[in-house]
Amino acid sequence: MLQYYLRNMQVPVQRPDYGLVETVPPVAEGGTYDVVETMQFLYVNVVKAKDLPGAEISGSLDPYVEVKVGTDKGIVTKNVEKNQSPVWESVIAFSKERLQSNLIEVTVRDKETDLEGNFVGRVSFDVTKVPLRCPPESPIAPQWYKLEDEDSQRIKTGEIMLAVWMGTQADEAFTEAWHSDAQSFNRQSQVDTRSKVYFSPNLYHLRIHVIEAKDLISSEKGRQPAAYVKVDVENESDKTEPSKERTNSPVWNSEMMFVVSDLSDGCIFIAVEDKVGPGKEEVIGTLLIPVIEVPHRGENNKLPDSRWFNLQNRSVTEGEGKKKKVKVNCCSRICLSICIDAGYHVVDEPIEFSSDFQPSAEHLRRSSIGFLELGILSAQNLLPVKMNNDGISTRTDAYCVAKYGNKWVKTRTILDTPTPHWNEKYTWEVYDPCTVITIGVFDNCQISGCKGNVKDQRIGRVRIRLSTLVMGKIYAYRYPLLVVGPRGFRKQGELHLAIRFTCTAWRNMVTQYCRPLLPKMHFLEPITAGQLDKMQYQAEKIVAEGLDGEEPPLRKETVQYVLDHWGWPRSLRKIKANFHRITSLLSWISAISQCFHDICHWKNSLTTIVVHVLFFMQVRYPLLIMPNIFLCFAVIGLRNYRFRPRHPPHLDAQLSLAEAVDEDEWDEEFDTFPTSRRADVVKMRYTRLRSVAGLIQTAMEDVAMQGERALSLVSWKDPRATAVFIMFVFFCSLVFYVAPMQVVQLTGLYLLRHPLFRSKVPSQAVNFFNRSPTKSDVLL
């Protein structure tokens, strides 16, 4: 059945434009290969001014600076109100490729006066005479320059402090500079186009062990409460089961786990509630515990001792003047054990392609084994994302976000081009080679022209596993940006990356392969799969909200896409793809069976003779069996070396069955849960799901039947067959004990006999096995 299904599963061959395209690594200034190309920028650091002449009428001025190269529109700084000695401290950057003149004009203007007469003074520079600075050289020191009038004559008063130099994208001023290509947007929009490095907040597991309570008082006299405990942490809640018996001293002995960050200033809200009836609860008492006051778990994994806490009664009384007073009931108490459990790794992304497995506690973390260099070079053929009033896509303002460990990087936004060039280099420390770096491409929708609280649009995503990289080698490739959505599967462009993994501790890296993937606390005190999924969602939410509060913000939708926050409960396409993966994985059994069949039937006489020789050698020298088995694996590995992958793995459209799915299946995959489609559409999809499930069910049934037949040989389900089998194996054991080598030789010769001595009818052993009973006849 598996073979039938594989034959009828239409898996189109992947198109060439969906594969990686290898490129030549970028060449640095010294002639050596690097992960980025060097880009020249003209930097102008406008620091401050002094003794500026005031306006003729008011005597004061609101000065700002305009920096212009040639006839292009200049970049202006913010204005400083009523100040003749203003301080700006703004760095302005011009791409050398876009310079259309060798003359730089730095003009001081007054915002108070009319546009025609707002000139205060200026300073001019020749680009060809600007000094060149290459980091790690020290920064260029700013100097005072006398201001000149429009006729290039020095004015009586007024000086400005400037620093002008020619640098690269590696300059420290690059990230904070105002770039010339964003000059047409307002100040906040220009801030959103800057590059930035972010760090996720440190996350910890909060363990709360709810043990018992004493002296709980119900709202009704004479009635014992059916109490349970509800805990709220960081807008996430959990609760215990109600006590089995109505009592004022219930025992729960229930444990809960939450995720908190080291920057959290919130509180743990604990409420003891009484389940009065169906859908009706009453609060018996509450408790607030600040997260910063929770102790950490002690050394040797010792949990802190439990403590008794007094509950604050939520009952309210009316006092004089209609003021509400809260009564504190010191009789009701609750016993808790609360601690910060830093021995675990807090999962904020799927384990399958996680970028970090380090525990939260710093003293438990291992030293780094190397560093990773990523060069985000450029993109090609990006599809336009922004739409005009007619609904037509017109432009793309692209930027990239890369995440590895707790370090996030965001490139600057390249405006209105389908072929942006970033050429930005970033470095991470590596602690585990079996980790994955994720790079996402997005369209910036926060700049001017976008109305309302719009979200940045995702263009595509690339993942690279470090263990697939040869150390020290630069991998430069153009990665296709393949995305799926309700409208189907498509390619939205290409991302040009260069990456290099350098190992600095070979011994630590090799031993890392023999260590558990997660910290040992995950094995000493395992967390259930349900708790892991719940806490992963909490961690993703905390990270997204924390980075969204930075300046400039790394927006929540961007973080969620990189962390793969979105998930769908079921996908028919993924069911087919995963079943295809399983059958492909098990295909080696069929391949071995076919190879043995070909040897036995002398399809290749030379191969069969070689197998005969090897067989007699093993029988003659049985001590060589195990060494030869290991040697065989080594030879297979060496033989496959020439077939090794030449480039890192990437999204496989063929394996994902992305092109074997019609529009309706894509719409079903991205449908809401529960469904929002019409009844006839749901009926058609249900019928299709049943047909696919029927094929998978039949294939799984065939596998189960073969296993049940093997077990039935010794389980006495067929008494006669089991008795015959026991007598046969008992007889074989006696024969092998008396003359083991001779029997092995005869058995081998019988199995490898020539086709002239074979019958087309299945052998007696196969017939005996196929007659063994299965559980199919007892299924309803």
Side-chain angles (χ1 to χ4, degrees), residues 229-254:
V229 178
K230 184 179 180 181
V231 182
D232 291 312
V233 180
E234 299 284 352
N235 297 323
E236 298 294 334
S237 63
D238 198 0
K239 62 182 180 181
T240 66
E241 293 291 332
S243 56
K244 297 180 179 180
E245 298 180 358
R246 290 185 174 271
T247 175
N248 60 356
S249 299
V251 177
W252 297 284
N253 201 24
S254 178

Side-chain angles (χ1 to χ4, degrees), residues 47 67 75 92 173 273 506 586 683 724:
V47 184
V67 182
I75 303 177
I92 298 170
E273 300 183 359
W506 277 80
L586 298 178
K683 181 179 179 181
V724 172

Side-chain angles (χ1 to χ4, degrees), residues 171-446:
D171 203 294
E172 296 87 348
F174 178 80
T175 57
E176 300 298 329
W178 304 100
H179 289 267
S180 58
D181 56 355
Q183 59 183 324
S184 59
F185 301 105
N186 58 38
R187 183 67 54 171
Q188 183 57 43
S189 296
Q190 292 184 40
V191 171
D192 288 329
T193 63
R194 286 177 169 178
S195 58
K196 187 80 172 180
V197 176
Y198 305 85
F199 286 92
S200 303
N202 294 327
L203 302 179
Y204 300 90
H205 283 163
L206 173 65
R207 186 186 295 269
I208 301 177
H209 188 193
V210 183
I211 303 174
E212 59 178 329
K214 296 287 186 183
D215 304 324
L216 299 183
I217 301 176
S218 176
S219 60
E220 300 179 10
K221 293 184 179 181
R223 183 178 64 83
Q224 298 289 342
Y228 65 92
V229 178
K230 184 179 180 181
V231 182
D232 291 312
V233 180
E234 299 284 352
N235 297 323
E236 298 294 334
S237 63
D238 198 0
K239 62 182 180 181
T240 66
E241 293 291 332
S243 56
K244 297 180 179 180
E245 298 180 358
R246 290 185 174 271
T247 175
N248 60 356
S249 299
V251 177
W252 297 284
N253 201 24
S254 178
E255 195 171 72
M256 309 175 188
M257 295 190 75
F258 298 88
V259 176
V260 295
S261 71
D262 57 347
L263 304 177
S264 175
D265 56 354
C267 294
I268 305 171
F269 180 76
I270 301 174
V272 180
E273 300 183 359
D274 178 16
K275 191 172 182 61
V276 179
K280 185 179 180 181
E281 294 86 13
E282 292 182 355
V283 178
I284 298 176
T286 61
L287 175 66
L288 278 178
I289 303 175
V291 175
I292 59 175
E293 296 181 4
V294 177
H296 283 249
R297 189 169 185 170
E299 297 182 358
N300 300 323
N301 299 326
K302 183 180 179 181
L303 291 171
D305 296 332
S306 58
R307 291 178 53 195
W308 285 95
F309 297 87
N310 292 328
L311 293 175
Q312 183 177 359
N313 198 314
R314 291 293 300 274
S315 62
V316 178
T317 59
E318 296 285 344
E320 295 181 1
K322 300 295 183 181
K323 294 182 179 179
K324 294 185 177 181
K325 298 181 181 179
V326 178
K327 297 195 303 183
V328 178
N329 187 347
C330 297
C331 296
S332 299
R333 298 175 299 159
I334 186 170
C335 183
L336 303 171
S337 176
I338 307 178
C339 69
I340 298 292
D341 212 334
Y344 293 91
H345 166 67
V346 180
V347 179
D348 61 350
E349 54 191 337
I351 293 292
E352 297 81 19
F353 34 82
S354 178
S355 61
D356 183 27
F357 298 108
Q358 293 279 72
S360 301
E362 293 187 3
H363 68 278
L364 297 177
R365 298 179 181 178
R366 302 186 178 95
S367 58
S368 64
I369 61 172
F371 57 91
L372 175 69
E373 299 170 272
L374 174 67
I376 303 176
L377 304 179
S378 62
Q380 290 81 31
N381 305 319
L382 296 182
L383 298 182
V385 177
K386 291 187 178 69
M387 296 185 179
N388 57 17
N389 296 330
D390 298 329
I392 301 175
S393 300
T394 57
R395 60 179 288 169
T396 299
D397 305 314
Y399 68 90
C400 291
V401 172
K403 193 260 183 188
Y404 184 78
N406 67 334
K407 180 179 177 181
W408 298 68
V409 299
K410 175 187 176 184
T411 67
R412 68 188 184 99
T413 302
I414 307 298
L415 303 172
D416 195 15
T417 175
T419 57
H421 287 74
W422 294 285
N423 278 300
E424 297 183 24
K425 176 182 177 181
Y426 298 97
T427 305
W428 288 267
E429 283 189 308
V430 177
Y431 298 90
D432 193 318
C434 301
T435 47
V436 177
I437 182 172
T438 305
I439 306 101
V441 185
F442 303 88
D443 179 72
N444 193 336
C445 295
Q446 310 309 313

Side-chain angles (χ1 to χ4, degrees), residues 46-62:
V46 183
V47 184
K48 58 184 176 179
K50 65 180 180 179
D51 301 331
L52 296 179
E56 296 181 359
I57 300 176
S58 63
S60 64
L61 74 164
D62 299 341

Side-chain angles (χ1 to χ4, degrees), residues 526-677:
I527 303 175
T528 63
Q531 284 181 319
L532 276 178
D533 291 341
K534 178 182 176 182
M535 289 190 291
Q536 179 181 341
Y537 176 80
Q538 295 178 22
E540 292 173 353
K541 184 177 178 182
I542 293 174
V543 171
E545 291 177 351
L547 296 179
D548 191 48
E550 299 286 343
E551 185 63 34
L554 188 60
R555 296 186 60 81
K556 188 179 297 185
E557 62 271 12
T558 301
V559 176
Q560 290 175 342
Y561 181 64
V562 173
L563 293 178
D564 203 15
H565 176 80
W566 291 280
W568 291 268
R570 187 194 61 80
S571 168
L572 184 62
R573 174 184 61 86
K574 291 183 178 180
I575 291 176
K576 294 178 182 178
N578 288 325
F579 183 69
H580 181 69
R581 289 170 58 193
I582 294 174
T583 53
S584 298
L585 184 65
L586 298 178
S587 62
W588 64 271
I589 300 177
S590 176
I592 293 176
S593 176
Q594 183 63 40
C595 180
F596 183 74
H597 178 272
D598 294 344
I599 292 173
C600 293
H601 288 76
W602 291 70
K603 292 294 181 66
N604 188 324
S605 302
L606 180 60
T607 302
T608 305
I609 293 173
V610 171
V611 170
H612 277 79
V613 173
L614 294 176
F615 172 74
F616 282 110
M617 287 179 59
Q618 302 303 318
V619 174
R620 182 68 179 84
Y621 304 102
L623 295 178
L624 296 178
I625 294 177
M626 293 306 299
N628 286 341
I629 291 176
F630 290 111
L631 180 62
C632 180
F633 282 109
V635 171
I636 293 174
L638 293 174
R639 174 183 174 273
N640 291 337
Y641 177 77
R642 59 175 179 167
F643 306 109
R644 68 191 184 279
R646 302 293 180 174
H647 55 76
H650 184 51
L651 299 177
D652 193 333
Q654 180 182 6
L655 179 64
S656 305
L657 303 180
E659 295 185 285
V661 178
D662 56 24
E663 293 182 2
D664 184 72
E665 289 190 30
W666 284 120
D667 183 73
E668 179 186 11
E669 181 170 338
F670 290 88
D671 189 11
T672 57
F673 188 81
T675 182
S676 58
R677 300 299 183 262

